[in-house]
Amino acid sequence: MMDAAAARAAADVPGIPRDKDGPVFREPWEAQAFAMALALHERGVFTWAEWAATLADQIKRAQADGDPDTGETYYRHWMATLETLVAAKGVATPELLHRYRDAWDHAADRTPHGAPIELTPQDFE
Amino acid sequence: MELRVRALETILTEKGYIDPAALDAIIQAYETRIGPHNGAQVVARAWTDPAFKRALLEDATRAVSTLGHVSRVGDHLVAVENTAQRHNMVVCTLCSCYPWEMLGLPPVWYKAAPYRSRAVKDPRGVLADFGVSLPKETEIRVWDSTAETRFLVLPMRPEGTEGWSEQQLAALVTRDSMIGTGFPKSPGAPS
């Protein structure tokens, strides 16, 4: 199910950028996460100093939990940093994030293969 | 991860913090417009224009802005010059601060713990892994990036490029040479 969702999102984002070491973004969600951080910074939600401190903290925690931290998991830390900062800044609580994650999960489950996944009020029930 | 990203994006859109179209524009810019060629242009200009080089080493943020590059991150850019006596190399030991608008997005190894931790302790060993060997007497200086200050290495101009145009020179400037983990291409080397 996750794979199907990822594959469908991939179709929405043409041409993942590459350099000689391979794709700069390994999956489309990494590009989305990257862009969200830039957009929120531009909105003044956080400073780059706050961002770097939080990201460094996330990486340290992941390492402590056994993450090999070889660059492949980098955007996972990036995403955790986003979630931490939006919660700290009162933009979205962890509970709200959970609710929306479950709703997207539900929407992906009920959507037939090949059709775009859309969120409806029923997905929150 | 996909669901977590979608959840956050939906919330931020509904609350008016982001516009999905603007996100697409950012991603597209990094796919097509923003990449190491921006930094390469700066380096080639510095190689051909002594006044620009002076300005770059004095205040890189300002010098680069005269070329019409737009800095999204608004960070403080510092250019460090390689010479026969000194080789510069850039790392971010804490996370992965990187001059995006000059070099695009960081490569995987730049974000990886082995590079972040070894670059400071054993720069010569790290360079050897990249196939870069320097004379013993060349000092290696490692610069640790922060959220506020990012570094761009100004590599040495390759020999045998006298009279080359800025555009020709820019084609020799590699991303790694601007991080300090490589050299520019040699003239005549296959591109």
Side-chain angles (χ1 to χ4, degrees), chain B residues 21 24 26-27 41 48 95 126-128 164 174 183:
Chain B
D24 288 348
I26 292 171
I27 293 166
Q41 275 170 21
T48 52
C95 44
V126 170
L127 287 177
W164 280 39
T174 62
F183 296 124

Side-chain angles (χ1 to χ4, degrees), chain B residues 101-112:
Chain B
E101 75 282 12
M102 288 292 103
L103 301 183
L105 294 162
V108 168
W109 55 260
Y110 186 86
K111 301 176 288 197

Side-chain angles (χ1 to χ4, degrees), chain B residues 44-99:
Chain B
R45 171 67 65 89
W47 283 346
T48 52
D49 179 346
F52 178 77
K53 180 176 157 181
R54 264 198 308 280
L56 182 72
L57 294 174
E58 209 167 276
D59 183 346
T61 308
R62 184 186 302 179
V64 164
S65 71
T66 63
L67 295 184
H69 286 286
V70 183
S71 167
R72 284 198 73 92
V73 284
D75 49 352
H76 181 44
L77 186 69
V78 174
V80 287
E81 183 186 16
N82 283 352
T83 63
Q85 288 76 39
R86 189 161 91 178
H87 181 88
N88 297 287
M89 183 173 153
V90 181
V91 66
C92 174
T93 53
L94 276 183
C95 44
S96 63
C97 298
Y98 190 74

